[in-house]
Amino acid sequence: MRIVPGGPILVEGPVDMTTPDGHRVCSDRFMVAVCACRRSKNYPLCDTSHRRKVRPTDTDDAQG
């Protein structure tokens, strides 16, 4: 397992997970990205939603 700072948790597959609500998620891929930010529409699997952050522009910084 490898934790990516600001990103997912990478787990060597295959994996079989159960979410807190009892939903079972299975993947037979050799590497599985598990969402750590909870923004994924495909939770508990990562869909790279963690990359879609709103970043302040230079003009926003000057006005702050």
Side-chain angles (χ1 to χ4, degrees), residues 1-2 4-6 12-14 17-19 22 24-26 32 34-35 39-40 43-44 52 56 58 63:
M1 178 180 342
R2 183 170 63 111
V4 178
E12 288 186 35
M17 300 178 282
T18 304
T19 62
R24 187 172 172 201
V25 179
C26 302
V32 179
V34 179
C35 178
R39 293 182 201 147
S40 176
Y43 186 82
R52 291 183 221 125
D58 292 337
Q63 294 174 7

Side-chain angles (χ1 to χ4, degrees), residues 35 37 39-42 46-53:
C35 178
C37 71
R39 293 182 201 147
S40 176
K41 290 182 176 131
N42 196 25
C46 179
D47 68 0
T48 68
S49 292
H50 60 274
R51 295 181 185 168
R52 291 183 221 125
K53 294 181 185 176

